[in-house]
Amino acid sequence: MRFHYLVPLSLAAGLAIWLGVGDSGETVAPPMMELAATDQAITPIPDQLALDARKVALGRRLFHDKRLSRDDSVSCATCHRPDRAGADGLPVAVGIQGQRGKLNTPTVFNSGFNFRQFWDGRVPSLEEQVPGPVHNPVEMATDWKHVIAKLKQDPAYPEMFRAIWPDGITEVHIQGAIAEFERGLLTPDAPFDHYLQGKAQALSRDARQGWDLFRNLGCIACHQGVNVGGNMYANLGVMGDFFADRGRPLTDADLGRFKVTSREEDRHVFKVPSLRNVERTAPYFHDGSVPSLNKAVELMARYQLGIHLSDTDTRDLVAFLTSLNGRLPETGK
């Protein structure tokens, strides 16, 4: 069966409403697509958003505060490093006492544009994402009762919270402040954004050829919108068995959406990652098993599109992806 979809001229950020809707009401990727793609399938990152400056300042402080972990050794910024484009540069996340997780850390930059959070998309908002690492026994391994008790001992926090919320420090307000800060971690001014804004010379010849390939090969079926991804789910291994060929045993981290829905059709289905700043966020895939962007491009072409790329095509696609590197935000305390 072949699917035919049309990318509208103005694609709303964070939504893939033209790409099909599953039984759960969430967007999914059909196995094959043809799209009449235009440049407007991707829209530029905005320079800024209308955010509450008080919440942003508080969220910044909390984002860097290691007291959000049980032993005061790990903060949000430990795994979402500004010098690693909001990721950590490791195959999988490392939490308290050097414990290793099972999933690659996604970038926090531009994460407010994602339609769901986490690889399996189990929560819809940044606010609901915050408790995940706090409660995870491998990451921060604590609970809100202990976190709040420590924050109340800091002379600055009670006043900062009460200036925004009369009831002061609560778990909901901690989540709200961190989420507001994270929404402001934008990376505008990528060369490709300038190209979309009419500056043709913002892209190199290789990058322009890569952009043509990105559309013509069908990559844009899953990677579009303001975040060039992050707005739908897709099966990893549409045109081949990635997991059988990977050469390592399956773990529960490989189950993807199946862990959330228990539906067989969601096995190995993941939220499509954003490609913003992807050249800066190696290693790749949910398991961090792919060390280079060239290799990631080759594997995506093979397992999602069923094609083998020439060295020239791989080079051009990587050049286009590198043009998605934007201006990194200031994340200091």
Short mmCIF file of all heavy atoms in Angstrom, two decimals, residues 39-91:
data_model
loop_
_atom_site.label_atom_id
_atom_site.label_comp_id
_atom_site.label_asym_id
_atom_site.label_seq_id
_atom_site.Cartn_x
_atom_site.Cartn_y
_atom_site.Cartn_z
N ASP A 39 9.92 24.63 0.48
CA ASP A 39 10.80 25.15 1.52
C ASP A 39 10.03 25.41 2.80
O ASP A 39 10.59 25.35 3.90
CB ASP A 39 11.47 26.44 1.06
CG ASP A 39 12.55 26.19 0.02
OD1 ASP A 39 12.83 25.01 -0.25
OD2 ASP A 39 13.11 27.17 -0.50
N GLN A 40 8.72 25.73 2.69
CA GLN A 40 7.94 26.09 3.86
C GLN A 40 7.61 24.89 4.75
O GLN A 40 6.98 25.05 5.80
CB GLN A 40 6.64 26.79 3.44
CG GLN A 40 6.86 28.22 2.94
CD GLN A 40 7.51 28.28 1.58
OE1 GLN A 40 7.29 27.40 0.75
NE2 GLN A 40 8.32 29.29 1.33
N ALA A 41 8.01 23.69 4.36
CA ALA A 41 7.83 22.54 5.24
C ALA A 41 8.66 22.68 6.51
O ALA A 41 8.37 22.06 7.51
CB ALA A 41 8.21 21.25 4.51
N ILE A 42 9.71 23.49 6.45
CA ILE A 42 10.55 23.81 7.61
C ILE A 42 10.50 25.32 7.80
O ILE A 42 10.59 26.07 6.84
CB ILE A 42 12.00 23.34 7.40
CG1 ILE A 42 12.04 21.83 7.22
CG2 ILE A 42 12.88 23.76 8.59
CD1 ILE A 42 13.41 21.28 6.86
N THR A 43 10.33 25.74 9.03
CA THR A 43 10.27 27.17 9.32
C THR A 43 11.41 27.56 10.26
O THR A 43 11.88 26.74 11.04
CB THR A 43 8.92 27.53 9.97
OG1 THR A 43 8.71 26.69 11.11
CG2 THR A 43 7.78 27.33 8.98
N PRO A 44 11.88 28.80 10.19
CA PRO A 44 13.02 29.22 11.00
C PRO A 44 12.73 29.22 12.50
O PRO A 44 11.59 29.42 12.93
CB PRO A 44 13.30 30.65 10.51
CG PRO A 44 12.68 30.73 9.16
CD PRO A 44 11.47 29.85 9.23
N ILE A 45 13.77 29.00 13.28
CA ILE A 45 13.69 29.16 14.74
C ILE A 45 13.50 30.65 15.04
O ILE A 45 14.23 31.49 14.51
CB ILE A 45 14.98 28.66 15.41
CG1 ILE A 45 15.10 27.15 15.28
CG2 ILE A 45 15.04 29.08 16.88
CD1 ILE A 45 14.28 26.34 16.24
N PRO A 46 12.54 31.00 15.87
CA PRO A 46 12.38 32.42 16.22
C PRO A 46 13.54 32.92 17.08
O PRO A 46 14.20 32.14 17.77
CB PRO A 46 11.06 32.46 16.99
CG PRO A 46 10.91 31.07 17.54
CD PRO A 46 11.53 30.16 16.53
N ASP A 47 13.76 34.22 17.05
CA ASP A 47 14.82 34.80 17.86
C ASP A 47 14.53 34.69 19.35
O ASP A 47 15.44 34.54 20.16
CB ASP A 47 15.03 36.27 17.49
CG ASP A 47 15.70 36.44 16.13
OD1 ASP A 47 16.42 35.51 15.72
OD2 ASP A 47 15.48 37.47 15.50
N GLN A 48 13.26 34.83 19.72
CA GLN A 48 12.89 34.75 21.13
C GLN A 48 11.41 34.43 21.24
O GLN A 48 10.66 34.54 20.27
CB GLN A 48 13.20 36.06 21.84
CG GLN A 48 12.49 37.27 21.26
CD GLN A 48 12.90 38.55 21.95
OE1 GLN A 48 13.76 38.57 22.82
NE2 GLN A 48 12.28 39.66 21.56
N LEU A 49 11.00 34.05 22.44
CA LEU A 49 9.61 33.79 22.74
C LEU A 49 9.18 34.72 23.88
O LEU A 49 10.02 35.22 24.63
CB LEU A 49 9.40 32.33 23.16
CG LEU A 49 9.78 31.26 22.14
CD1 LEU A 49 9.61 29.87 22.76
CD2 LEU A 49 8.95 31.38 20.87
N ALA A 50 7.89 34.91 24.01
CA ALA A 50 7.36 35.70 25.12
C ALA A 50 7.32 34.82 26.37
O ALA A 50 6.45 33.96 26.51
CB ALA A 50 5.96 36.22 24.78
N LEU A 51 8.28 35.03 27.26
CA LEU A 51 8.41 34.20 28.46
C LEU A 51 8.40 35.08 29.71
O LEU A 51 8.68 36.28 29.63
CB LEU A 51 9.71 33.39 28.41
CG LEU A 51 9.86 32.44 27.21
CD1 LEU A 51 11.27 31.86 27.18
CD2 LEU A 51 8.83 31.32 27.26
N ASP A 52 8.08 34.49 30.85
CA ASP A 52 8.10 35.18 32.13
C ASP A 52 9.55 35.27 32.61
O ASP A 52 10.15 34.26 32.96
CB ASP A 52 7.23 34.43 33.14
CG ASP A 52 7.06 35.18 34.45
OD1 ASP A 52 8.05 35.74 34.97
OD2 ASP A 52 5.95 35.16 35.00
N ALA A 53 10.10 36.48 32.64
CA ALA A 53 11.52 36.66 32.97
C ALA A 53 11.84 36.16 34.38
O ALA A 53 12.93 35.64 34.62
CB ALA A 53 11.91 38.13 32.83
N ARG A 54 10.90 36.30 35.30
CA ARG A 54 11.14 35.83 36.67
C ARG A 54 11.24 34.31 36.71
O ARG A 54 12.10 33.75 37.39
CB ARG A 54 10.05 36.33 37.61
CG ARG A 54 9.95 37.85 37.74
CD ARG A 54 8.72 38.22 38.55
NE ARG A 54 7.50 37.67 37.96
CZ ARG A 54 6.29 37.70 38.55
NH1 ARG A 54 6.17 38.25 39.76
NH2 ARG A 54 5.24 37.18 37.96
N LYS A 55 10.36 33.65 35.99
CA LYS A 55 10.40 32.20 35.95
C LYS A 55 11.67 31.71 35.25
O LYS A 55 12.27 30.71 35.66
CB LYS A 55 9.17 31.64 35.24
CG LYS A 55 7.87 31.81 36.01
CD LYS A 55 6.71 31.18 35.24
CE LYS A 55 5.39 31.39 35.94
NZ LYS A 55 4.25 30.82 35.16
N VAL A 56 12.06 32.41 34.19
CA VAL A 56 13.28 32.03 33.47
C VAL A 56 14.49 32.13 34.39
O VAL A 56 15.34 31.23 34.43
CB VAL A 56 13.47 32.91 32.22
CG1 VAL A 56 14.84 32.69 31.61
CG2 VAL A 56 12.38 32.63 31.20
N ALA A 57 14.60 33.22 35.15
CA ALA A 57 15.74 33.39 36.06
C ALA A 57 15.75 32.32 37.14
O ALA A 57 16.81 31.75 37.45
CB ALA A 57 15.69 34.78 36.70
N LEU A 58 14.59 32.03 37.68
CA LEU A 58 14.50 30.98 38.69
C LEU A 58 14.79 29.61 38.08
O LEU A 58 15.53 28.80 38.65
CB LEU A 58 13.10 30.98 39.31
CG LEU A 58 12.78 29.88 40.33
CD1 LEU A 58 13.77 29.89 41.49
CD2 LEU A 58 11.35 30.04 40.84
N GLY A 59 14.24 29.37 36.90
CA GLY A 59 14.47 28.09 36.23
C GLY A 59 15.93 27.88 35.88
O GLY A 59 16.45 26.77 35.99
N ARG A 60 16.61 28.95 35.48
CA ARG A 60 18.04 28.85 35.19
C ARG A 60 18.81 28.40 36.43
O ARG A 60 19.68 27.53 36.35
CB ARG A 60 18.57 30.19 34.70
CG ARG A 60 20.10 30.19 34.45
CD ARG A 60 20.61 31.53 34.00
NE ARG A 60 20.21 31.81 32.62
CZ ARG A 60 19.29 32.69 32.27
NH1 ARG A 60 18.66 33.41 33.21
NH2 ARG A 60 19.00 32.89 30.99
N ARG A 61 18.49 29.00 37.55
CA ARG A 61 19.18 28.64 38.79
C ARG A 61 18.91 27.18 39.17
O ARG A 61 19.83 26.44 39.54
CB ARG A 61 18.71 29.58 39.91
CG ARG A 61 19.43 29.40 41.23
CD ARG A 61 18.86 30.35 42.27
NE ARG A 61 19.49 30.16 43.57
CZ ARG A 61 20.30 31.03 44.16
NH1 ARG A 61 20.59 32.16 43.57
NH2 ARG A 61 20.83 30.76 45.34
N LEU A 62 17.66 26.77 39.04
CA LEU A 62 17.30 25.38 39.36
C LEU A 62 17.94 24.40 38.38
O LEU A 62 18.35 23.30 38.77
CB LEU A 62 15.78 25.23 39.33
CG LEU A 62 15.01 25.92 40.45
CD1 LEU A 62 13.53 25.99 40.10
CD2 LEU A 62 15.21 25.19 41.78
N PHE A 63 18.01 24.77 37.12
CA PHE A 63 18.58 23.91 36.09
C PHE A 63 20.02 23.53 36.41
O PHE A 63 20.48 22.43 36.09
CB PHE A 63 18.50 24.65 34.75
CG PHE A 63 18.90 23.85 33.54
CD1 PHE A 63 18.00 23.02 32.91
CD2 PHE A 63 20.19 23.96 33.01
CE1 PHE A 63 18.36 22.30 31.78
CE2 PHE A 63 20.56 23.25 31.89
CZ PHE A 63 19.65 22.42 31.26
N HIS A 64 20.73 24.45 37.06
CA HIS A 64 22.14 24.22 37.40
C HIS A 64 22.34 23.73 38.83
O HIS A 64 23.49 23.52 39.24
CB HIS A 64 22.93 25.51 37.20
CG HIS A 64 23.09 25.92 35.77
ND1 HIS A 64 24.08 25.44 34.96
CD2 HIS A 64 22.37 26.76 35.00
CE1 HIS A 64 23.97 25.97 33.75
NE2 HIS A 64 22.94 26.78 33.75
N ASP A 65 21.28 23.54 39.57
CA ASP A 65 21.38 23.21 41.00
C ASP A 65 21.47 21.71 41.22
O ASP A 65 20.54 20.96 40.93
CB ASP A 65 20.17 23.77 41.76
CG ASP A 65 20.43 23.89 43.25
OD1 ASP A 65 21.14 23.02 43.81
OD2 ASP A 65 19.92 24.84 43.86
N LYS A 66 22.60 21.26 41.75
CA LYS A 66 22.82 19.83 41.97
C LYS A 66 22.02 19.29 43.16
O LYS A 66 21.95 18.08 43.35
CB LYS A 66 24.31 19.55 42.17
CG LYS A 66 25.14 19.82 40.91
CD LYS A 66 26.61 19.49 41.12
CE LYS A 66 27.40 19.72 39.83
NZ LYS A 66 28.83 19.39 39.99
N ARG A 67 21.40 20.18 43.91
CA ARG A 67 20.56 19.71 45.02
C ARG A 67 19.28 19.06 44.54
O ARG A 67 18.54 18.48 45.34
CB ARG A 67 20.25 20.89 45.95
CG ARG A 67 21.45 21.31 46.81
CD ARG A 67 21.18 22.57 47.60
NE ARG A 67 21.08 23.73 46.73
CZ ARG A 67 21.00 24.99 47.18
NH1 ARG A 67 20.97 25.22 48.50
NH2 ARG A 67 20.93 26.00 46.34
N LEU A 68 19.04 19.09 43.25
CA LEU A 68 17.91 18.35 42.71
C LEU A 68 18.20 16.85 42.62
O LEU A 68 17.32 16.06 42.28
CB LEU A 68 17.52 18.87 41.32
CG LEU A 68 16.42 19.94 41.30
CD1 LEU A 68 16.89 21.21 41.99
CD2 LEU A 68 15.96 20.24 39.88
N SER A 69 19.42 16.45 42.93
CA SER A 69 19.77 15.02 42.98
C SER A 69 19.96 14.59 44.43
O SER A 69 20.20 15.41 45.32
CB SER A 69 21.05 14.75 42.18
OG SER A 69 22.16 15.42 42.75
N ARG A 70 19.88 13.30 44.67
CA ARG A 70 19.92 12.76 46.02
C ARG A 70 21.21 13.10 46.76
O ARG A 70 21.20 13.49 47.92
CB ARG A 70 19.75 11.24 45.98
CG ARG A 70 19.61 10.59 47.37
CD ARG A 70 19.53 9.08 47.23
NE ARG A 70 20.81 8.51 46.77
CZ ARG A 70 20.92 7.30 46.24
NH1 ARG A 70 19.82 6.55 46.05
NH2 ARG A 70 22.09 6.84 45.86
N ASP A 71 22.34 12.99 46.06
CA ASP A 71 23.64 13.21 46.72
C ASP A 71 24.28 14.53 46.32
O ASP A 71 25.48 14.73 46.54
CB ASP A 71 24.59 12.04 46.44
CG ASP A 71 24.89 11.87 44.96
OD1 ASP A 71 24.37 12.67 44.14
OD2 ASP A 71 25.66 10.97 44.60
N ASP A 72 23.51 15.43 45.74
CA ASP A 72 23.99 16.76 45.36
C ASP A 72 25.15 16.71 44.36
O ASP A 72 26.05 17.55 44.39
CB ASP A 72 24.43 17.57 46.59
CG ASP A 72 23.31 17.78 47.59
OD1 ASP A 72 22.14 17.55 47.23
OD2 ASP A 72 23.60 18.16 48.74
N SER A 73 25.09 15.73 43.46
CA SER A 73 26.20 15.57 42.50
C SER A 73 25.79 15.81 41.06
O SER A 73 26.65 15.96 40.19
CB SER A 73 26.80 14.17 42.61
OG SER A 73 25.85 13.18 42.21
N VAL A 74 24.49 15.85 40.78
CA VAL A 74 24.00 15.92 39.41
C VAL A 74 22.93 16.99 39.30
O VAL A 74 22.02 17.06 40.12
CB VAL A 74 23.41 14.56 38.96
CG1 VAL A 74 22.76 14.68 37.60
CG2 VAL A 74 24.49 13.50 38.93
N SER A 75 23.05 17.83 38.28
CA SER A 75 22.01 18.81 37.97
C SER A 75 21.46 18.53 36.58
O SER A 75 21.97 17.66 35.86
CB SER A 75 22.59 20.23 38.01
OG SER A 75 23.46 20.44 36.91
N CYS A 76 20.43 19.27 36.18
CA CYS A 76 19.94 19.15 34.81
C CYS A 76 21.05 19.45 33.81
O CYS A 76 21.17 18.80 32.76
CB CYS A 76 18.78 20.11 34.57
SG CYS A 76 17.39 19.95 35.69
N ALA A 77 21.89 20.44 34.16
CA ALA A 77 22.97 20.86 33.26
C ALA A 77 24.07 19.82 33.14
O ALA A 77 24.89 19.90 32.22
CB ALA A 77 23.56 22.18 33.75
N THR A 78 24.11 18.84 34.04
CA THR A 78 25.11 17.78 33.94
C THR A 78 24.94 16.99 32.66
O THR A 78 25.92 16.65 31.98
CB THR A 78 25.02 16.85 35.16
OG1 THR A 78 25.23 17.59 36.36
CG2 THR A 78 26.05 15.72 35.07
N CYS A 79 23.70 16.68 32.32
CA CYS A 79 23.42 15.91 31.10
C CYS A 79 23.05 16.79 29.92
O CYS A 79 23.10 16.33 28.78
CB CYS A 79 22.30 14.91 31.36
SG CYS A 79 22.77 13.56 32.47
N HIS A 80 22.66 18.02 30.18
CA HIS A 80 22.28 18.94 29.11
C HIS A 80 23.26 20.11 29.11
O HIS A 80 22.94 21.21 29.54
CB HIS A 80 20.84 19.41 29.30
CG HIS A 80 19.84 18.31 29.23
ND1 HIS A 80 19.52 17.67 28.04
CD2 HIS A 80 19.10 17.70 30.20
CE1 HIS A 80 18.62 16.74 28.28
NE2 HIS A 80 18.35 16.73 29.58
N ARG A 81 24.43 19.84 28.60
CA ARG A 81 25.55 20.78 28.68
C ARG A 81 25.51 21.80 27.55
O ARG A 81 25.31 21.44 26.39
CB ARG A 81 26.86 20.01 28.64
CG ARG A 81 27.10 19.11 29.82
CD ARG A 81 28.29 18.20 29.63
NE ARG A 81 29.48 18.88 29.12
CZ ARG A 81 30.64 18.27 28.88
NH1 ARG A 81 30.75 16.96 29.10
NH2 ARG A 81 31.68 18.96 28.43
N PRO A 82 25.71 23.08 27.88
CA PRO A 82 25.72 24.08 26.82
C PRO A 82 26.85 23.88 25.83
O PRO A 82 26.69 24.18 24.63
CB PRO A 82 25.88 25.40 27.59
CG PRO A 82 26.40 25.02 28.94
CD PRO A 82 25.85 23.66 29.22
N ASP A 83 27.99 23.34 26.28
CA ASP A 83 29.11 23.13 25.36
C ASP A 83 28.92 21.88 24.51
O ASP A 83 29.74 21.60 23.63
CB ASP A 83 30.43 23.05 26.14
CG ASP A 83 30.47 21.89 27.12
OD1 ASP A 83 29.40 21.50 27.64
OD2 ASP A 83 31.56 21.36 27.38
N ARG A 84 27.85 21.14 24.74
CA ARG A 84 27.51 19.98 23.93
C ARG A 84 26.16 20.19 23.25
O ARG A 84 25.44 19.23 22.96
CB ARG A 84 27.46 18.72 24.81
CG ARG A 84 28.82 18.28 25.34
CD ARG A 84 29.67 17.67 24.24
NE ARG A 84 30.93 17.12 24.75
CZ ARG A 84 31.78 16.42 24.01
NH1 ARG A 84 31.52 16.20 22.74
NH2 ARG A 84 32.91 15.97 24.52
N ALA A 85 25.82 21.44 23.00
CA ALA A 85 24.57 21.79 22.32
C ALA A 85 23.35 21.23 23.04
O ALA A 85 22.39 20.76 22.42
CB ALA A 85 24.60 21.33 20.87
N GLY A 86 23.39 21.26 24.37
CA GLY A 86 22.25 20.84 25.15
C GLY A 86 22.14 19.35 25.38
O GLY A 86 21.16 18.87 25.96
N ALA A 87 23.14 18.59 24.94
CA ALA A 87 23.20 17.14 25.20
C ALA A 87 24.43 16.89 26.07
O ALA A 87 24.87 17.79 26.79
CB ALA A 87 23.25 16.36 23.89
N ASP A 88 25.01 15.68 26.04
CA ASP A 88 26.18 15.43 26.89
C ASP A 88 27.35 14.78 26.16
O ASP A 88 28.42 14.59 26.74
CB ASP A 88 25.80 14.59 28.11
CG ASP A 88 25.18 13.24 27.76
OD1 ASP A 88 25.28 12.83 26.58
OD2 ASP A 88 24.58 12.61 28.65
N GLY A 89 27.17 14.41 24.90
CA GLY A 89 28.26 13.82 24.13
C GLY A 89 28.57 12.38 24.49
O GLY A 89 29.56 11.83 24.01
N LEU A 90 27.71 11.75 25.29
CA LEU A 90 27.93 10.37 25.72
C LEU A 90 26.93 9.44 25.04
O LEU A 90 25.84 9.87 24.67
CB LEU A 90 27.77 10.25 27.24
CG LEU A 90 28.69 11.14 28.08
CD1 LEU A 90 28.29 11.06 29.56
CD2 LEU A 90 30.14 10.73 27.90
N PRO A 91 27.26 8.15 24.92
CA PRO A 91 26.30 7.22 24.33
C PRO A 91 24.98 7.16 25.11
O PRO A 91 23.90 7.19 24.53
CB PRO A 91 27.03 5.87 24.36
CG PRO A 91 28.48 6.25 24.32
CD PRO A 91 28.58 7.51 25.13
#
